[in-house]
Amino acid sequence: MKLKTMTMEWTGNELILIDQRKIPLKEEYMTCKTYEEVAIAIKEMVVRGAPAIGASAAFGYVLGAKKFNVNTFEELKEKMFHVKEVLANTRPTAVNLFWALERMEKTLLNFGKLDGIVEKLEEEAMAIANEDIEANRRMGKFGAKLLKDGDTVLTHCNAGALATVDYGTALGVIRAAVEEGKKIKVYADETRPYLQGARLTAWELMKDGIDVTLISDNMSGWAMKLGKINAVIVGADRVAANGDVANKIGTYMVAVLAKRHGIPFYVAAPTSTIDLNTKTGKDIPIEERRHTEVTHCGGTQIAPDNVKVFNPAFDVTDAELITAIITEKGVVYPPYEENLKKLFEE
Ligand SMILES: CSC[C@@H](O)[C@@H](O)C(=O)COP(=O)(O)O
């Protein structure tokens, strides 16, 4: 079983990830042969973006199962509880990570025997990856209907092919609209402090020949006021049952600005990102990352030594600021509590 996209390659024995820390200056790859290496790749953001993290963790789980020379299924089960824990203890906010690991563990437990388990787990990881590509394409088709020829879309962070197995969520919607022949321009927030917009979104869209203009985060309000933006589309790391959305830090600010200017604010997220077990945004764990992400830029110190820093990697946008959530099962409008639940009932 094999899979190869721009973001990741599964060879059957290893997971090869494009090193997203190096883009756009270098195209380098990290080869993970063990589940521990996959955990490091997720934690250090070699791979990032909710669905890409989920699929990588699933392949990491397979690498874990391959590693152990055990005699009984019980022994394997014990070892795999640990593998799951190591992979889960990497990044707390994106629910796709836990969703994928739960799915892998359920497959293991349901299979219940040693013989053939690695193949079974590999099949499941491949399904997770392929379903993500399929979901993004479907989301793209639904979302493209919300855009008209000539629109300029503002996006935040990178919710593109690099953040997923392929095609992207927010950028998937833009790609689909462009594929339909619509002329769409994109404004990409640089997305301080980690600069996923400047480094990844700009790179990815330019590679595809999609018209992209880079702005720093503090320019989005002014760009809206000047009438340059027709819609905002972002991805999500976790959608709570009431429709609150955790996404890259700065998303909330953009949503407030969009409301002020009467611009539709869309979230594109597969159902694997919707977490009905998390009631509201208040219950979503927000990752805090190292202070050097704020005090340094491209390796250069830009702030005084020992300055105090607050570096939450995500924020929560209240459901009331969100015009619609685009999923692979269709576009969901308020009331979210009721309508998100329906997605899982069909
Ligand atoms: C399709 S990806 C959606 C989100 O995961 C994305 O917008 C985001 O916030 C990524 O954060 P990151 O910290 O780069 O993993």
Side-chain angles (χ1 to χ4, degrees):
M1 281 176 257
K2 286 183 172 40
L3 172 107
K4 189 172 181 185
T5 67
M6 181 169 75
T7 311
M8 62 183 72
E9 178 178 359
W10 172 250
T11 64
N13 291 309
E14 55 200 14
L15 180 67
I16 305 171
L17 298 164
I18 190 163
D19 190 338
Q20 300 196 29
R21 299 168 305 180
K22 309 276 171 64
I23 296 171
L25 301 179
K26 286 183 201 148
E27 275 177 47
E28 286 179 3
Y29 294 83
M30 173 174 172
T31 300
C32 304
K33 291 182 191 294
T34 64
Y35 74 90
E36 291 99 330
E37 284 168 346
V38 175
I40 291 169
I42 295 172
K43 201 172 178 64
E44 294 302 319
M45 292 173 74
V46 171
V47 63
R48 33 65 54 199
I53 293 172
S56 299
F59 286 118
Y61 194 87
V62 179
L63 290 175
K66 272 178 186 260
K67 172 182 165 163
F68 302 114
N69 214 350
V70 289
N71 295 316
T72 66
F73 181 73
E74 279 308 305
E75 265 180 88
L76 179 69
K77 214 170 83 178
E78 282 309 310
K79 302 246 183 229
M80 292 310 288
F81 287 148
H82 176 68
V83 169
K84 183 186 173 205
E85 203 176 289
V86 170
L87 288 164
N89 275 334
T90 48
R91 299 197 67 194
T93 305
V95 76
N96 300 61
L97 173 65
F98 310 102
W99 169 86
L101 288 170
E102 287 297 325
R103 205 168 138 172
M104 294 304 289
E105 186 172 80
K106 203 164 152 203
T107 305
L108 174 91
L109 299 179
N110 285 346
F111 196 69
K113 57 182 176 22
L114 265 189
D115 197 25
I117 185 62
V118 171
E119 292 72 21
K120 184 74 189 167
L121 290 174
E122 192 179 359
E123 230 170 70
E124 192 65 15
M126 286 292 286
I128 287 174
N130 285 320
E131 283 168 27
D132 182 57
I133 303 174
E134 178 63 20
N136 291 335
R137 295 220 167 244
R138 291 175 68 92
M139 230 183 305
K141 287 218 168 74
F142 286 122
K145 294 200 179 75
L146 303 169
L147 298 178
K148 43 182 204 318
D149 192 28
D151 273 355
T152 298
V153 177
L154 175 75
T155 192
H156 191 76
C157 192
N158 172 269
L162 288 167
T164 59
V165 180
D166 204 10
Y167 203 66
T169 56
L171 297 194
V173 170
I174 291 163
R175 280 199 168 95
V178 170
E179 281 163 21
E180 283 177 9
K182 292 176 187 162
K183 262 197 152 56
I184 304 291
K185 290 184 181 164
V186 180
Y187 268 49
D189 279 344
E190 65 171 352
T191 319
R192 273 285 287 159
Y194 208 66
L195 302 174
Q196 288 94 329
R199 296 187 297 104
L200 308 176
T201 297
W203 179 82
E204 191 182 314
L205 291 177
M206 286 175 81
K207 232 174 153 52
D208 262 13
I210 295 175
D211 188 326
V212 57
T213 300
L214 178 65
I215 57 172
S216 62
D217 298 336
N218 51 358
M219 295 172 188
S220 54
W222 187 239
M224 288 182 194
K225 192 157 191 177
L226 293 178
K228 289 182 180 292
I229 309 295
N230 305 101
V232 177
I233 312 181
V234 297
D237 286 82
R238 192 185 298 223
V239 180
N242 72 338
D244 288 350
V245 167
N247 192 50
K248 181 53 50 193
I249 189 74
T251 303
Y252 170 61
M253 183 177 77
V254 178
V256 171
L257 285 166
K259 184 88 168 178
R260 156 90 180 157
H261 293 92
I263 296 167
F265 182 93
Y266 300 115
V267 172
T271 47
S272 54
T273 305
I274 300 170
D275 180 12
L276 297 186
N277 294 323
T278 297
K279 278 177 90 172
T280 75
K282 283 201 186 77
D283 307 305
I284 301 176
I286 301 292
E287 176 184 13
E288 279 198 44
R289 293 190 61 87
R290 55 177 77 101
H291 292 177
T292 48
E293 285 182 1
V294 179
T295 57
H296 289 63
C297 198
T300 303
Q301 186 175 335
I302 55 167
D305 284 338
N306 303 322
V307 67
K308 283 197 275 181
V309 170
F310 175 46
N311 184 22
F314 302 94
D315 59 27
V316 175
T317 297
D318 312 280
E320 66 181 51
L321 297 172
I322 299 166
T323 310
I325 301 175
I326 306 159
T327 79
E328 79 277 21
K329 293 190 177 177
V331 179
V332 181
Y333 291 92
Y336 291 118
E337 182 121 31
E338 201 177 311
N339 293 339
L340 287 173
K341 215 188 287 166
K342 280 190 199 148
L343 291 176
F344 296 88
E345 283 165 2
E346 288 142 22

